């Protein structure tokens, strides 16, 4: 049976990924030496394509790790001696927060209820925070923090580093990197690739912080500390043999999207999201989990389906669409529908029809 | 032009890997949820196949990390509070040693010259060592430590954990895991897979050590600490979304080798290695880097080619064979030829002919 994955990730592979894997196998990409000029060209190609796609300035390095979870770990270990400040409104923000606690840091959190945004109106001041960590697009709750709110945080707390989790919003989201010190994602979401590659975009200030911590005797880790990662990235290499195929595929996906038109992809994402939310609102049996439209993610659309959840997912599956269940304790009552660049408008039309006709 | 990689890794992909990637794409392996029963089955299949292939007992967990370098990092961070003891006879053993130093541990090293083994005759006693780290097969120098020597180390130092790097000897090597607490490899070597997966085989004692360190307030890391990895491995899952395709392919390669016959593969490896060493000895222009036959690796065969190195590698390339250069400062004078299970005897015959006729 035909199956198309609209799951939050791992998700449907980008069609270009299928082709590119074939090219990689024919071109011995998985056999070349990771210190060779051939590998360096692959790294450069991915670096260039991602810079163009997300508007990443030269000062920010593009570092290849293994997962977004590892990015959280390394950012805290390298940039926080004592205090990190988190915004927690779901399981992945919670993971960032817990990572800091597990690493023995004094992590603090502003919390929001499931499906709700934060009270940004009065501003936030965190004089002690060395790093402010925001899950810009929370995959478990479908809440997105508007980028303007995040820039405001940076303006109000200029001495703290600002790190954002864009795991399920990239490449739709295009942050202003003059306001963001670090951002990270994994590739099995919006980039439609096989899992096993985390991408960390980090500026000089993060590396300076790592140097400072190291000089104070803080343990910043070994092979994947920011100092080492920066040194190798400046040679378009990794400390260890990385996921070469993943880096190759990332370059191909970025190249495809840049050629297709990044802004066109972004507009389409918004159009598809609007259609999905409207369909959920139109159904008498469903409601959008995120009530406030300005808090809604464009890429993770969540329907609170109550006891109709199983039936709706089965109905979608009859047409070949695999939608995600809710996360954690909402597993059986919510439906998470990903709206990534590889998800075609024709399929979103069919899904929306099924959703809106759910009674 | 046809190219066959005889490089130490990344190396030639196993033919079964090409097929299995096609099956994985058709079967949506890269899109399934990493908490689903489908993923758990993939993990179980790899786990079962690797246990059979390497004779891994139930008490040892098979953990999926991202690289062998990460395995070194996690073993030190989780099992060593103060003192680690290393055997250093090449660049990868040096990396294990340096990892411990970078993590702030008091690492000590027994050293051997490039291309030489260690003086095991009189035995070694390391009363302070919490972990003894041996690079069983040193990829940079082609020196292998006989497993009997390694077991003797464990017998002489029963209170220390014994961790071995089998990065380029697995799956040829089949350690007696009753004598080995931890072993690790990466898959882009003897398993002929795309890079991006590290495999750590570790027993209960390593996790007990991690618990002990944690209870003493030692920072054992966050998502990939051994306690968390063990907890997830017991559910056949990973803390983060892992390299699902890599785990799938590992299961396929193990399944293939088990069916082919692991002992047959091991015998063939020895036959091919003998042929390569003989060819190098027969050439008036080449000599085996490792003089003592009992120190020679079966899987990384190194010829000291002096100023003939470039010419020999070019001659091999004319027949389609990509051989590795020397490592580090021996880049231009040594030739490293991998002898992994996917390397066919017919090709080894041709390579041996070219080598032995080198003048």
């Amino acid at each position: 049976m035909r199956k198309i994955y609209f799951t939050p990730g791992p998700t449907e592979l980008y069609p270009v990924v299928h082709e590119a894997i074939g090219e990689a196998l024919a071109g011995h990409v998985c056999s070349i030496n990771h210190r060779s000029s051939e590998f360096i060209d692959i790294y450069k190609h991915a670096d260039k394509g991602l810079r163009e796609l997300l508007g990443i300035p030269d000062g920010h390095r593009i570092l290849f790790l293994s997962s977004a979870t590892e990015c959280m770990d390394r950012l805290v270990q390298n940039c926080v001696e004592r205090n990190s400040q988190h915004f927690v409104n779901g399981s992945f923000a919670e993971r960032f927060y817990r990572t800091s606690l597990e690493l023995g840091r004094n992590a603090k959190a502003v919390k929001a209820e499931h499906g709700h945004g934060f009270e940004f109106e009065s501003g936030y001041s965190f004089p002690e925070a060395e790093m402010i960590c925001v899950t810009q697009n929370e995959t478990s709750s479908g809440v997105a923090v508007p980028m303007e709110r995040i820039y405001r945080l940076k303006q109000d707390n200029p001495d703290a580093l600002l790190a954002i989790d864009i795991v399920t919003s990239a490449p739709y989201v295009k942050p202003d990197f003059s306001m963001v010190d670090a951002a990270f994602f994994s590739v099995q979401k919006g980039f439609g690739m096989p899992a096993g590659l985390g991408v960390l975009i980090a500026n000089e200030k993060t590396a300076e912080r790592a140097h400072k911590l190291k000089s104070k005797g803080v343990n910043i880790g070994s092979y994947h500390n920011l100092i080492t990662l920066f040194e190798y990235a400046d040679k378009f290499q990794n400390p260890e043999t990385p996921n070469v195929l993943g880096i190759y595929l990332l370059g191909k996906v970025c190249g495809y999207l840049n050629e297709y038109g990044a802004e066109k992809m972004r507009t389409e994402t918004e159009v598809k999201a609007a259609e999905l939310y409207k369909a959920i609102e139109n159904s008498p049996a469903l409601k959008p989990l995120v009530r406030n439209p300005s808090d809604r993610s464009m890429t993770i659309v969540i329907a609170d389906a109550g006891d109709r959840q199983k039936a709706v997912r089965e109905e979608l599956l009859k047409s070949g669409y695999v939608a995600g269940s809710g996360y954690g304790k909402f597993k059986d009552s919510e439906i998470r529908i990903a709206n990534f660049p590889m998800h075609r408008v024709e399929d979103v039309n069919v899904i929306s029809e099924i959703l809106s006709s759910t009674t």
Side-chain angles (χ1 to χ4, degrees), chain A:
Chain A
M1 191 186 76
R2 182 196 76 149
K3 268 191 191 178
I4 303 177
Y5 283 74
F6 273 74
T7 43
T11 191
E12 189 68 16
L13 293 186
Y14 228 115
V16 68
V17 167
H18 286 261
E19 292 162 36
I21 288 176
E23 288 165 21
L25 292 176
H28 303 286
V29 164
C30 300
S31 300
I32 59 168
N33 188 283
H34 56 291
R35 304 284 174 229
S36 67
S37 62
E38 291 158 290
F39 172 73
I40 290 172
D41 286 345
I42 288 171
Y43 194 130
K44 281 183 179 169
H45 185 249
D47 183 278
K48 184 168 174 284
L50 190 61
R51 282 184 195 281
E52 183 179 340
L53 185 60
L54 297 185
I56 302 166
D58 285 347
H60 283 64
R61 302 303 194 288
I62 296 173
L63 310 170
F64 294 116
L65 291 87
S66 302
S67 65
T69 311
E70 189 188 13
C71 294
M72 296 178 190
D73 177 293
R74 298 298 155 164
L75 280 171
V76 170
Q77 197 177 20
N78 282 262
C79 299
V80 179
E81 186 183 355
R82 290 197 187 85
N83 300 305
S84 64
Q85 176 65 48
H86 302 258
F87 282 82
V88 176
N89 62 337
S91 301
F92 294 91
E94 179 84 16
R95 182 180 293 182
F96 208 164
Y97 169 64
R98 297 237 157 257
T99 295
S100 188
L101 290 175
E102 279 175 30
L103 291 171
R105 271 59 169 185
N106 177 28
K108 288 185 181 162
V110 173
K111 301 213 172 187
E113 292 297 302
H114 182 63
H116 290 264
F118 299 97
E119 304 291 343
F120 278 105
E121 288 65 21
S122 50
Y124 285 104
S125 173
F126 305 110
E128 291 185 343
E130 294 158 73
M131 189 162 71
I132 298 173
C133 306
V134 183
T135 305
Q136 189 268 322
N137 198 67
E138 172 55 62
T139 313
S140 71
S141 70
V143 172
V145 180
M147 287 306 303
E148 295 67 34
R149 299 295 192 182
I150 292 177
Y151 303 148
R152 173 75 190 280
L153 266 178
K154 181 69 180 174
Q155 285 161 336
D156 290 348
N157 300 274
D159 294 335
L161 294 175
L162 177 66
I164 60 172
D165 173 340
I166 54 171
V167 168
T168 41
S169 51
Y172 162 70
V173 76
K174 192 181 177 185
D176 174 355
F177 281 96
S178 72
M179 304 295 283
V180 173
D181 300 292
F184 58 87
F185 63 88
S186 50
V187 298
Q188 73 275 19
K189 319 277 187 178
F191 288 84
M193 287 171 47
L197 186 68
V199 180
L200 174 60
I201 303 153
N203 69 7
E204 291 281 1
K205 284 184 197 166
T206 63
E208 283 163 18
R209 194 67 68 89
H211 277 288
K212 192 177 146 198
L213 261 59
K214 192 182 178 191
S215 70
K216 287 174 121 177
V218 177
N219 189 339
I220 60 167
S222 67
Y223 80 119
H224 269 185
N225 69 54
L226 286 185
I227 298 172
T228 304
L229 283 166
F230 266 62
E231 277 170 13
Y232 278 89
D234 285 344
K235 300 183 285 184
F236 298 100
Q237 292 179 38
N238 263 60
E240 82 295 3
T241 313
N243 182 339
V244 179
L245 180 61
I247 297 171
Y248 176 85
L249 296 177
L250 181 66
K252 291 289 177 180
V253 172
C254 292
Y256 175 83
L257 282 169
N258 288 327
E259 198 170 315
Y260 180 79
E263 290 317 312
K264 189 173 158 197
M265 170 272 287
R266 292 187 174 108
T267 304
E268 284 174 357
T269 301
E270 289 166 8
V271 169
K272 289 184 294 171
E275 188 181 343
L276 287 166
Y277 280 115
K278 194 174 160 199
I280 293 166
E281 280 170 341
N282 282 347
S283 159
L286 307 175
K287 52 178 192 273
L289 168 67
V290 182
R291 305 292 170 86
N292 184 351
S294 66
D295 290 331
R296 285 179 189 163
S297 165
M298 293 293 108
T299 52
I300 301 291
V301 176
I302 304 189
D304 183 352
D307 55 13
R308 301 285 293 131
Q309 194 249 26
K310 199 180 165 197
V312 178
R313 287 183 73 209
E314 279 173 3
E315 196 59 34
L316 288 168
L317 196 57
K318 276 188 204 160
S319 298
Y321 300 112
V322 183
S325 59
Y327 195 89
K329 64 179 173 176
F330 306 100
K331 193 175 189 312
D332 297 326
S333 61
E334 293 176 5
I335 301 169
R336 290 185 299 158
I337 299 167
N339 174 33
F340 296 139
M342 87 294 284
H343 290 129
R344 301 182 318 151
V345 67
E346 300 91 299
D347 292 312
V348 169
N349 290 345
V350 181
I351 290 173
S352 298
E353 229 163 89
I354 295 169
L355 293 177
S356 62
S357 63
T358 297
T359 52

